[in-house]
Amino acid sequence: MKGLLRGLKKTSLARIATYFSYAHYRVFLSVLTVTSLMIFMHTAILIFMLPPPFSTGPFLAPIIALTSFFYVFVIVYLISVFTSELSTGGALLFLSFPLSRVEYVFSWILNSVVAPSLLYLLSIAIPVAVIDPTLVLNISGVEITLAVLEMTAVGTVIFLLSLITKNRKTALSAGILLYLVVPYLGLIAFSYFKYSLKIDLSNTPVFWVYEALYPYKAGLFTYGSVSWSYNLAFPTAILIALILAATLFYSKYRLEVV
Amino acid sequence: MAVIEVRDLYKSYGKTVALRGASFSVPSKTVAALLGPNGSGKTTTLKILVGVLKRDRGDVKVFGFDPWINGVEVRERLGILHEKPIFPGDVKVKVLLKYLAKLKGYSGSEVERVARITGLVKYLDSRVKSLSRGYLQRLGLAQALIGDPELLLLDEPTANLDPLARREILRLIKSFQKELGVTILVSSHIIPELEEICEYAVFIKEGIIVDYGRLEDLSKKYFTEVSYRVVVEKPRELASKAISFDFVKGVEVEENSVEIKVKAGRVSELADFLESSKDTYGVRKVEFVRAELGDLYERAVAGT
């Protein structure tokens, strides 16, 4: 751990910024296209379909449920670009320059997980602000925070798996499984237990793991029975920090490029 | 002073052992050949030197740093052309080189400089995927030269090139040492190419360094006789005097030089003779006539 901290001290923001801007330059067009499409969809939904907002509850749920389903493919695609760069030798070029493995991997986390999650947030905020700036103040910060954290948390897990396996197929299958299959199957299972079998799993470790990985969906599931507050975000924030530390640790001590 | 120091280096990929106790060093301002057959561990050695592969065991120092731990410090001072380098095809040559230069703290003018050296100027605005194999190799050399590195590592620099492109790349490599004064370690299995450019050799076979050193020293070690070409004003007179010594095994007179074959263990006696008779015969220059690199490699391998 000491070594990792010492390594982080040597990390150069300038080099991260340089590599990040290069990696972003390569995928800019696809990210821009999908984000623009999201802005258009969010605008249409907000204008035609949404009921009047109220600030305390998850009023954006219909939007997020619909559009995040498509948007996560951007994250999965970007992680797969990273994985193919690692496995086909593209990474070798940049890692033969004064760019550390930690800086390289961190730039890709920013590029493939953090930036798209924030762009998704913007794709909601921009139409809301354009339609009626006062609406921005009415959006629940908790809801947005949970949605973005969920996207980021799952993204970091997929990223770590892809980094370790250096396999594009892993990125794609883990992406589909963790973004599209597990969260909804989980909700179906929890609902079945709760409403059909009358067994409440919300105080079991299985649900805690689900809650840490999918805080937004878990929050919706428990909405009404659990306080809808920023407390819901803490386990996820800790999970992200742990996965990030594991990713940087792996990059520093184990990542080899052939 | 040695730029590269490798001691007892081991590296495996699963059950395949790539390096088994390799040890060698490369002094500063030398053009060194890393010579060995395919699969002998050359590429693995270079990748460990640049810090992208982790050694299993042993000690590696480049500029006094461990490349796995202090990779950034090492890579700030070296450039590497990998075997079959992969470049992003959808990016313009200029853009790619600009980003790479920025990582070394250089601006766009550095891109123009390396493009001029490698003859890439008119392709700067082309996309990488439109370059021919020969020009991709030039791009590989251009990126390796960014920031005027003190050490160049070249892994099979002429692999998969047609004869014309091959000659051009060799000409470029020769000019790097002459004009830029860098230390170069070239890995190849093509002996005639290395012979043209190297003065130092590291022989590798099945992950073991068989021997290494200056070609002159290796020749003395593996051959009973070595040759020197003496550029001189009175070649005939020098030749007839030299042949009278028992340590001289033969002489060959040319227009303004004499090639003297001498017993490997008695080179110092020839040096003393040439020094003492410098003015008498008008000795201008003495140069070592290197042995064939292939012969040296065979003898080194046979000796293990």
Side-chain angles (χ1 to χ4, degrees):
Chain A
M1 200 62 189
K2 260 186 189 174
L4 182 63
L5 291 174
R6 231 188 350 258
L8 288 177
K9 264 188 201 168
K10 281 189 190 171
T11 300
S12 154
L13 286 179
R15 288 194 295 263
I16 290 175
T18 301
Y19 187 73
F20 172 79
S21 73
Y22 164 78
H24 192 66
Y25 163 84
R26 289 195 59 202
V27 295
F28 176 72
L29 208 62
S30 45
V31 173
L32 181 74
T33 309
V34 179
T35 309
S36 306
L37 187 70
M38 286 296 115
I39 292 174
F40 176 76
M41 283 174 76
H42 289 152
T43 309
I45 296 169
L46 281 164
I47 290 175
F48 299 112
M49 301 174 200
L50 210 67
F54 47 95
S55 61
T56 52
F59 91 96
L60 287 171
I63 296 186
I64 291 171
L66 183 67
T67 58
S68 69
F69 193 84
F70 298 108
Y71 196 76
V72 290
F73 280 104
V74 175
I75 295 178
V76 175
Y77 163 71
L78 292 174
I79 295 174
S80 79
V81 171
F82 161 71
T83 318
S84 75
E85 197 172 287
L86 270 183
S87 58
T88 57
L92 194 58
L93 175 65
F94 280 88
L95 286 173
S96 299
F97 273 75
L99 178 74
S100 71
R101 295 180 295 277
V102 168
E103 288 162 350
Y104 172 79
V105 168
F106 188 68
S107 304
W108 265 108
I109 293 175
L110 289 180
N111 190 45
S112 61
V113 181
V114 179
S117 301
L118 294 176
L119 280 173
Y120 180 73
L121 170 70
L122 270 184
S123 77
I124 296 175
I126 289 171
V128 170
V130 169
I131 292 165
D132 180 357
T134 58
L135 276 181
V136 177
L137 300 172
N138 287 336
I139 293 177
S140 160
V142 176
E143 183 175 18
I144 291 288
T145 307
L146 293 181
V148 171
L149 277 179
E150 180 172 309
M151 214 173 249
T152 309
V154 179
T156 51
V157 174
I158 299 166
F159 189 93
L160 178 57
L161 288 174
S162 308
L163 174 71
I164 293 169
T165 59
K166 290 186 194 147
N167 187 337
R168 197 173 187 172
K169 281 181 188 160
T170 306
L172 294 172
S173 45
I176 291 169
L177 193 74
L178 292 174
Y179 269 129
L180 305 176
V181 178
V182 173
Y184 297 102
L185 274 184
L187 278 184
I188 293 168
F190 293 132
S191 305
Y192 178 73
F193 273 96
K194 188 172 180 179
Y195 300 111
S196 299
L197 304 179
K198 306 287 177 202
I199 301 170
D200 189 5
L201 294 178
S202 59
N203 276 323
T204 60
V206 180
F207 189 78
W208 296 337
V209 172
Y210 183 88
E211 197 175 26
L213 206 50
Y214 307 103
Y216 185 60
K217 291 184 181 67
L220 290 179
F221 182 72
T222 55
Y223 185 67
S225 58
V226 173
S227 149
W228 182 248
S229 75
Y230 283 105
N231 288 345
L232 292 167
F234 288 138
T236 311
I238 292 167
L239 180 73
I240 292 173
L242 286 175
I243 296 168
L244 209 59
T247 306
L248 298 183
F249 186 87
Y250 183 85
S251 317
K252 182 163 174 60
Y253 296 106
R254 301 296 298 273
L255 177 65
E256 291 185 295
V257 184
V258 286
Chain B
M1 192 200 139
V3 172
I4 298 170
E5 282 275 6
V6 175
R7 290 282 161 267
D8 207 20
L9 179 61
Y10 282 82
K11 176 70 188 171
S12 305
Y13 302 100
K15 284 181 183 165
T16 312
V17 183
L19 294 171
R20 29 184 120 219
S23 298
F24 68 94
S25 62
V26 176
S28 174
K29 310 272 181 198
T30 312
V31 181
L34 179 58
L35 182 64
N38 285 333
S40 56
K42 301 187 296 292
T43 298
T44 300
T45 304
L46 293 186
K47 283 184 175 171
I48 289 174
L49 290 177
V50 84
V52 293
L53 280 185
K54 188 182 183 182
R55 65 189 182 276
D56 296 339
R57 201 142 54 89
D59 197 24
V60 180
K61 292 273 185 284
V62 180
F63 303 118
F65 293 109
D66 180 334
W68 178 254
I69 296 168
N70 302 102
V72 170
E73 285 86 344
V74 169
R75 293 190 292 267
E76 271 170 352
R77 296 166 67 181
L78 70 71
I80 181 167
L81 168 66
H82 289 285
E83 186 188 14
K84 298 177 202 148
I86 307 281
F87 298 110
D90 51 347
V91 181
K92 281 184 181 176
V93 171
K94 187 161 64 182
V95 174
L96 178 65
L97 289 175
K98 234 178 194 170
Y99 277 112
L100 293 170
K102 221 172 162 191
L103 282 174
K104 275 195 170 176
Y106 287 84
S107 65
S109 59
E110 180 65 4
V111 171
E112 281 156 32
R113 186 186 76 88
V114 295
R116 260 201 314 277
I117 294 173
T118 52
L120 265 179
V121 174
K122 60 178 178 176
Y123 295 96
L124 280 176
D125 286 316
S126 308
R127 298 217 175 258
V128 172
K129 63 183 168 199
S130 70
L131 297 182
S132 68
R133 189 83 196 98
Y135 274 91
L136 277 176
Q137 208 70 350
R138 281 168 189 261
L139 174 59
L141 286 172
Q143 59 81 22
L145 285 175
I146 288 173
D148 226 345
E150 295 163 53
L151 169 65
L152 262 183
L153 304 175
L154 307 173
D155 193 1
E156 304 279 2
T158 59
N160 305 319
L161 293 182
D162 61 61
L164 201 67
R166 189 171 278 203
R167 289 228 63 78
E168 265 300 291
I169 296 294
L170 283 175
R171 189 189 59 73
L172 276 173
I173 296 170
K174 271 188 208 169
S175 73
F176 295 160
Q177 211 282 332
K178 235 186 218 168
E179 290 160 27
L180 308 175
V182 291
T183 307
I184 304 177
L185 177 60
V186 194
S187 136
S188 180
H189 62 279
I190 306 171
I191 291 172
E193 284 180 358
L194 291 176
E195 205 148 41
E196 278 184 53
I197 52 179
C198 299
E199 58 201 281
Y200 192 96
V202 179
F203 297 136
I204 186 168
K205 192 192 173 200
E206 291 167 4
I208 297 167
I209 301 295
V210 175
D211 207 347
Y212 67 95
R214 301 191 70 78
L215 293 182
E216 187 173 348
D217 298 334
L218 291 172
S219 297
K220 284 178 200 165
K221 187 172 171 182
Y222 291 107
F223 291 92
T224 50
E225 294 166 5
V226 287
S227 296
Y228 288 88
R229 181 173 293 110
V230 185
V231 180
V232 64
E233 284 169 12
K234 298 170 183 169
R236 288 185 186 284
E237 289 85 339
L238 176 74
S240 57
K241 179 67 186 168
I243 198 72
S244 65
F245 296 116
D246 65 337
F247 57 83
V248 172
K249 302 299 291 180
V251 291
E252 206 173 296
V253 181
E254 286 159 24
E255 201 179 328
N256 55 0
S257 66
V258 184
E259 192 173 314
I260 302 175
K261 238 181 223 168
V262 61
K263 284 182 179 172
R266 298 180 68 181
V267 173
S268 59
E269 289 171 60
L270 175 69
D272 291 344
F273 160 63
L274 291 174
E275 184 58 41
S276 62
S277 54
K278 205 169 164 183
D279 298 329
T280 317
Y281 303 107
V283 175
R284 297 269 170 267
K285 200 165 110 186
V286 181
E287 56 191 27
F288 171 69
V289 179
R290 61 173 59 166
E292 298 270 318
L293 197 53
D295 292 344
L296 264 178
Y297 182 76
E298 270 177 29
R299 289 194 183 216
V301 168
T304 56

